[in-house]
Amino acid sequence: GAGVSQSPRYKVTKRGQDVALRCDPISGHVSLYWYRQALGQGPEFLTYFNYEAQQDKSGLPNDRFSAERPEGSISTLTIQRTEQRDSAMYRCASSFRQGFLETQYFGPGTRLLVL
Amino acid sequence: EDQVTQSPEALRLQEGESSSLNCSYTVSGLRGLFWYRQDPGKGPEFLFTLYSAGEEKEKERLKATLTKKESFLHITAPKPEDSATYLCAVPFITQGGSEKLVFGKGTKLTVNP
């Protein structure tokens, strides 16, 4: 089957606008993770879900960031009132089972540029 | 503070010149370590999971090993197509009791023909 997909692949927005980034995990994968990756850095954990339940959101930078996975499949990461410092690659990953010892499979990412 | 450190940051090899990449970590009670490969513009691609000290795994020209304090990714007789950034990641339990996967910054490997 298909891997993790993310859309849009690129998003350019003006400062102050809201953006919604979508992640479609591998079918049947229970857990879904959001990361942010700066150039030359490894992915930085933001938040994750087991099924539809958000387990931990302590990695979200501030309250402008939120995520949901209402039906336990597709997830949306929303950034409100975007700022230039939000510009980064946002990556989604999913795993077949719960737990951080499970292999996470990554999507291609959404590159966000805030002007 | 728990962290994952990779060295070197960048490595240039000639085709066929074997070498090793290092991933060191500070965590109490290591439960596992992951190696990923990342090509430019793409998401990380899973390579290996190591669960306990002494464990080794191989895939083509790559071999990953794990000790109590660090992991090595050995590359034997590399080819230009092995050029990529190699990331390691370790699961951590935070002080608040939540869990997350922490990545190193990666080693950018360039193999020249």
Side-chain angles (χ1 to χ4, degrees):
Chain A
V4 177
S5 61
Q6 293 185 245
S7 61
R9 293 293 309 277
Y10 302 93
K11 177 69 176 179
V12 181
T13 190
K14 292 183 178 179
R15 185 163 49 102
Q17 297 294 307
D18 298 349
V19 295
L21 311 181
R22 172 181 165 135
C23 172
D24 199 342
I26 295 172
S27 178
H29 277 203
V30 165
S31 299
L32 184 148
Y33 312 82
W34 282 101
Y35 292 86
R36 182 167 66 176
Q37 187 172 18
L39 199 62
Q41 304 287 317
E44 177 190 7
F45 175 80
L46 296 178
T47 187
Y48 82 102
F49 295 82
N50 288 333
Y51 299 99
E52 72 281 1
Q54 189 171 21
Q55 299 298 312
D56 179 16
K57 54 183 181 180
S58 63
L60 296 175
N62 51 61
D63 59 8
R64 295 186 295 104
F65 287 73
S66 63
E68 63 175 10
R69 192 187 186 198
E71 298 180 359
S73 179
I74 295 169
S75 176
T76 303
L77 178 68
T78 301
I79 309 173
Q80 295 179 313
R81 306 180 301 282
T82 53
E83 301 177 4
Q84 288 183 331
R85 58 177 172 159
D86 299 334
S87 298
M89 177 70 82
Y90 289 84
R91 297 201 185 276
C92 171
S94 68
S95 64
F96 181 64
R97 288 184 289 258
Q98 299 179 28
F100 280 80
L101 290 178
E102 295 297 318
T103 299
Q104 296 183 21
Y105 296 91
F106 282 80
T110 294
R111 182 168 294 283
L112 174 65
L113 178 60
V114 182
L115 301 176
Chain B
E1 180 180 338
D2 292 335
Q3 63 178 5
V4 179
T5 304
Q6 292 189 246
S7 62
E9 290 186 6
L11 180 62
R12 285 185 175 273
L13 300 173
Q14 288 298 123
E15 186 172 2
E17 179 186 2
S18 301
S19 188
S20 295
L21 314 181
N22 177 265
C23 172
S24 63
Y25 45 84
T26 55
V27 64
S28 54
L30 179 73
R31 296 175 298 122
L33 181 144
F34 298 87
W35 280 99
Y36 283 84
R37 167 190 171 129
Q38 187 170 25
D39 292 296
K42 296 188 176 181
E45 176 187 343
F46 171 74
L47 291 173
F48 304 108
T49 308
L50 301 168
Y51 292 103
S52 59
E55 188 175 2
E56 298 183 352
K57 287 193 177 174
E58 291 188 58
K59 180 180 180 181
E60 296 182 354
R61 295 175 292 281
L62 299 177
K63 183 169 80 172
T65 61
L66 182 64
T67 72
K68 289 184 178 180
K69 295 183 178 180
E70 58 192 346
S71 177
F72 292 94
L73 185 65
H74 307 278
I75 303 177
T76 302
K79 298 182 178 181
E81 53 261 43
D82 294 323
S83 297
T85 295
Y86 290 86
L87 297 162
C88 71
V90 177
F92 281 93
I93 297 177
T94 69
Q95 287 186 340
S98 59
E99 192 170 16
K100 60 180 180 178
L101 194 62
V102 176
F103 281 81
K105 293 183 179 181
T107 294
K108 184 177 181 180
L109 174 66
T110 304
V111 181
N112 297 313

